[in-house]
Amino acid sequence: MGFFDDIFDFNGDGKTDFFEEWLGYAIINDCMKQEEEEPYTLSAPAFGSHMDSNDDWGLFCEDGSDYGLYPEDFDTQEEFEDALEEARASSSGNETHIP
């Protein structure tokens, strides 16, 4: 039974051989070095106000890819939603807009 047990059993034989243990050690060691070089800092709260940020709207908006519309092509959520509404109306032949 090795130090890493089944975590680094890459060949799935149920045993961790020397190479797999060594590779596991190397991966963890590398991760530890990176953490020391670039410590994790939280620039925004873990929950709450950052979810309301105007910059994040594109992550949670409706899918417009069926109409060739993508959030990254628009500056605001309102512009994207207006374009999506127009695309839906023109594809259905209905030019009236429902608020």
Side-chain angles (χ1 to χ4, degrees), residues 50 52-59 75:
H50 77 285
D52 299 329
S53 172
N54 289 336
D55 298 334
D56 293 339
W57 68 267
L59 300 173
D75 292 328

Side-chain angles (χ1 to χ4, degrees), residues 51-67:
M51 295 301 288
D52 299 329
S53 172
N54 289 336
D55 298 334
D56 293 339
W57 68 267
L59 300 173
F60 307 103
C61 69
E62 193 172 349
D63 183 18
S65 61
D66 290 342
Y67 303 98

Side-chain angles (χ1 to χ4, degrees), residues 5-46:
D5 294 330
D6 296 333
I7 295 173
F8 295 106
D9 182 18
F10 298 115
N11 61 5
D13 66 355
K15 298 179 276 180
T16 307
D17 62 24
F18 175 76
F19 173 73
E20 291 168 330
E21 284 192 31
W22 177 83
L23 188 57
Y25 171 77
I27 290 170
I28 291 176
N29 192 33
D30 188 47
C31 290
M32 297 297 285
K33 284 181 185 177
Q34 288 177 3
E35 190 173 303
E36 289 173 6
E37 294 169 4
E38 302 171 18
Y40 178 74
T41 57
L42 188 60
S43 60

